[in-house]
Amino acid sequence: MYEQHIQEDLIYMMLYAAAAMMSLLACCYLLFRRANAIAPDVTSPVRLRRWTAVFFANMTLSHLWYLPIVFLTSREDIMLCYLLGAMLDFMILIPSAIVLLLVMLQDRRRPLWPVCMIVAPPIIGLAIGLATRSIARLPLLYIYYLLLGIGLLLYMVHEVRRYGRWLRNNYADLEHKEVWQSFIVLAVIVLVFGIYTLSLKGTPYHFVVQLNDIVLVCYLLWRVETLSDLSISSPQDDLPEEADDSLASLTVAMENEEENAVSLSIRNIGSLLKQHCEEPQLYLQHDISVTQLAMQIGTNRVYLSQYFTNEGISYNTYINGLRIQHFINRYHDLAKDRQAIITKHLAYESGFRSYSTFGVAFKQIMGMTATEWMRDQSAR
């Protein structure tokens, strides 16, 4: 029995060291490597990389200030070490985790000072517990921790929904931009960590916490590497070749944007879109943003966004609708000429960056999958 206990302690210490080392290496990787290793074609946000590196550094520190517990034998000393570690976590680790969630949303820069306000009560409570060498206030701190988690979860659900609307109003392609799936995964990981923190003690608790840390490091590295930086796109990026000759005049138009915007009626935007977007098939360009399209048709993004709002559609729906129609037209042309039809290639040709994005857009617009639609067309 004693040997089994020693073996469990050894395995736990190895796992503890592995989690600390992984967080430290991940921190150094994000700070010193510029290019992405997981998704080389994606340029991730610098601000997100830095805050994630800060979070990983704090995870490493958190492992350091809980380490003395392994060598302590007095029950009171272990309790005080736990209180000190929890207080330091609320001062450093938990605020950086909350900031990290906020930085993932790139529609606007949210104020960070409320983060300090919401972690102040548990810091004060833990400091009092340390000073008085008492854990009498711990149940209240657990309740506050639970309410904090629920409140943060509800707030993030609201903000992620808002972020999704912003994406659809500004970008044609949502690949490498959305955070719904990753946010849910992160929320589950944090929830599991919270449940075990509040309810379990002993060996299972220790192992689950360290495994949770390792999963969290792996997940956050993937999220940072695969999330596109939406602040670096400019109106002149990735314009089609046929627009090169008009760049100079468009630049001048942008400089006089206010005068042009006042004189341009939103009601004329429909004809401008047909002339400058639909006829030249500008929608086939990957990842064209609403700002780029506004520049192309000679208006500003505020007027163009207002036009789509008046039409009851999002910018993403407009562009993908044109792409799906292009797909349908090309399908009929190929079928008429009895040529081979490869759905994936045809989707890429229609302006979609990924086949999965095409599949979702097709079903939303046509009410059925592309496979079902083509089967229906073949039966006619």
Side-chain angles (χ1 to χ4, degrees):
M1 188 69 180
Y2 178 75
E3 292 180 355
Q4 182 180 358
H5 181 70
I6 294 296
Q7 187 177 9
E8 289 179 354
D9 286 346
L10 181 60
I11 295 174
Y12 168 71
M13 288 303 299
M14 293 175 62
L15 193 61
Y16 192 91
M21 185 58 65
M22 281 189 65
S23 59
L24 179 60
L25 292 176
C27 172
C28 295
Y29 168 81
L30 292 177
L31 286 177
F32 300 113
R33 181 182 173 91
R34 296 180 180 273
N36 288 0
I38 298 176
D41 59 324
V42 175
T43 301
S44 54
V46 175
R47 187 166 179 250
L48 178 60
R49 292 181 74 91
R50 290 173 178 172
W51 273 108
T52 309
V54 170
F55 176 72
F56 286 151
N58 292 337
M59 282 186 67
T60 306
L61 292 174
S62 179
H63 281 79
L64 291 179
W65 54 61
Y66 283 112
L67 189 60
I69 294 176
V70 179
F71 307 101
L72 296 176
T73 56
S74 169
R75 192 180 190 87
E76 183 180 8
D77 290 341
I78 293 175
M79 177 200 71
L80 292 176
C81 190
Y82 270 120
L83 290 176
L84 178 61
M87 186 181 71
L88 292 174
D89 280 347
F90 271 101
M91 291 177 62
I92 299 177
L93 184 63
I94 293 178
S96 62
I98 297 174
V99 170
L100 185 57
L101 288 174
L102 299 178
V103 172
M104 283 186 186
L105 309 179
Q106 302 180 67
D107 54 332
R108 62 187 177 92
R109 290 208 171 192
R110 291 161 177 80
L112 302 181
W113 63 264
V115 178
C116 300
M117 299 293 293
I118 62 179
V119 298
I123 293 175
I124 295 173
L126 289 166
I128 295 174
L130 277 171
T132 60
R133 295 175 174 265
S134 171
I135 59 173
R137 295 175 181 82
L138 280 184
L140 293 177
L141 294 178
Y142 285 157
I143 294 174
Y144 184 87
Y145 181 85
L146 181 61
L147 294 177
L148 174 62
I150 295 174
L152 180 62
L153 183 63
L154 294 176
Y155 174 78
M156 288 303 300
V157 168
H158 175 268
E159 290 300 299
V160 169
R161 287 173 60 87
R162 179 177 178 177
Y163 181 63
R165 290 194 297 269
W166 177 79
L167 287 177
R168 286 161 177 77
N169 288 333
N170 287 275
Y171 293 93
D173 296 303
L174 303 183
E175 188 181 17
H176 303 318
K177 297 180 179 65
E178 291 188 296
V179 296
W180 259 115
Q181 181 182 7
S182 59
F183 169 70
I184 293 174
V185 173
L186 183 60
V188 170
I189 293 174
V190 173
L191 179 62
V192 170
F193 176 77
I195 291 174
Y196 279 98
T197 299
L198 298 180
S199 61
L200 282 185
K201 299 299 178 185
T203 303
Y205 158 76
H206 295 301
F207 276 97
V208 168
V209 169
Q210 300 312 314
L211 288 174
N212 180 84
D213 286 350
I214 292 174
V215 171
L216 193 58
V217 170
C218 295
Y219 157 72
L220 285 176
L221 274 179
W222 168 82
R223 177 69 280 182
V224 172
E225 296 269 286
T226 57
L227 187 63
S228 293
D229 186 356
L230 306 185
S231 64
I232 62 173
S233 60
S234 68
Q236 296 180 356
D237 290 341
D238 301 322
L239 289 176
E241 295 181 0
E242 59 265 30
D244 289 345
D245 295 336
S246 61
L247 282 178
S249 59
L250 289 173
T251 302
V252 174
M254 287 295 292
E255 293 175 353
N256 300 312
E257 183 182 32
E258 292 184 1
E259 296 180 6
N260 294 337
V262 172
S263 61
L264 182 65
S265 171
I266 294 178
R267 289 175 296 180
N268 296 330
I269 290 181
S271 59
L272 291 173
L273 286 172
K274 184 175 182 180
Q275 179 182 354
H276 297 288
C277 177
E278 298 173 19
E279 292 179 357
Q281 298 182 332
L282 188 64
Y283 52 85
L284 298 182
Q285 175 188 334
H286 291 307
D287 211 18
I288 181 173
S289 67
V290 69
T291 304
Q292 292 172 329
L293 181 58
M295 178 182 173
Q296 283 290 88
I297 69 175
T299 184
N300 61 40
R301 64 174 303 278
V302 176
Y303 275 33
L304 185 56
S305 297
Q306 185 61 49
Y307 169 80
F308 290 128
T309 300
N310 293 345
E311 292 293 312
I313 60 175
S314 67
Y315 170 69
N316 178 266
T317 302
Y318 168 73
I319 293 295
N320 283 339
L322 294 175
R323 290 173 174 175
I324 295 300
Q325 188 58 52
H326 181 88
F327 174 91
I328 292 173
N329 294 338
R330 287 289 297 137
Y331 174 87
H332 287 309
D333 291 341
L334 293 174
K336 182 178 180 181
D337 296 337
R338 298 184 181 278
Q339 297 184 28
I341 299 175
I342 303 177
T343 310
K344 183 177 292 187
H345 292 173
L346 196 55
Y348 294 153
E349 181 186 329
S350 300
F352 290 96
R353 175 174 288 180
S354 73
Y355 187 69
S356 59
T357 302
F358 160 77
V360 172
F362 193 97
K363 188 168 185 179
Q364 287 178 343
I365 293 172
M366 301 299 295
M368 63 181 74
T369 65
T371 302
E372 293 170 344
W373 181 85
M374 288 188 293
R375 188 185 301 120
D376 181 65
Q377 296 299 309
S378 300
R380 294 183 179 182

